[in-house]
Amino acid sequence: MQDSPPYAVGIDVGGTKTHLRAFAAGAGVVDHVRSSTGWRPHDARAAAEWLADLIAVALPSSPRPSALAVGGHACETPRQCAGIRAALQERLGVPTLVVGDAELLVPAAGLEKGVGLVAGTGSVAVGRLPGGEAVQVGGWGAVLGDEGGAAGLVREAVRTVWAAHDRGEEPDALASGLVTAFGVAEVPALGAALEAATDVSAEWGRHSPAVFSAAEAGSPLARAVIAEGGRALAGLVVRLAARGVAVDDVVVAGGTVLAQPALFEAFTASLAESLPGARTQPLRVPPVEGALALARSLL
């Protein structure tokens, strides 16, 4: 029996789903998507076992990968990524690279350097210094950060309607939309609704359509929240530039910023004002393409 060909394997472990894509000459492409349930990036050995099990399930005839690259959700520091990489190499014995999932965007776009910006439920931007060191800004979670992501927009929208309530203003479309979305009787009750969330990012973020609907209905408050969210996203890129990261190209991904033109336009307008030379491009291919490109670069 002929041996199965070795595969270059790329894996994008997202907050909700995981996408594996593998390629071997003469055997084509393997795609496998599953839930990210069980992903534990803060336990290097558990993460390595989870990934090894995924590869064993996804690849035909269980061939040994020739190289592996992983972009991991919540893999937040070089030390953390290095721990998972070491455990994977010990487990699989092949060249391996582990990075944060936002670092997949630039190679997925076919670029060698630049910034990856994600604004989905949360927000984060990543890049590399001239010496190759990874730099991440943002991504601090919905309670303290994630400005411009869905959960951060909802948090700021609630703060905005509270301030309008304190000024004695009548509820506008933003206030009404949030009250309806959270299922409460009035604006003051929004605080308790936010605090009752058990999964803050997901539970806050799912109400972000109310902010965009209110803006479309003419709410100045909603439009101000979106504009500020766009400025905050641009600010992440500005922060990277200040630290020495090349920001000529900014690859943008995430279900919030790409699905909501008002936010994308606010971001690009603010970025053009702060960094006129930066070029933005929405990512039009799955981020796992970046993981596969990184895996093939290891061969």
Side-chain angles (χ1 to χ4, degrees), residues 140-146 155 200-201 204:
W140 298 115
V143 174
L144 299 177
D146 281 353
R155 181 194 65 229
V200 169
S201 291
W204 292 5

Side-chain angles (χ1 to χ4, degrees), residues 11-36:
I11 303 176
D12 171 25
V13 186
T16 303
K17 70 176 182 178
T18 292
H19 189 177
L20 177 149
R21 181 165 288 177
F23 175 81
V29 175
V30 173
D31 260 321
H32 181 82
V33 179
R34 58 167 284 181
S35 166
S36 296

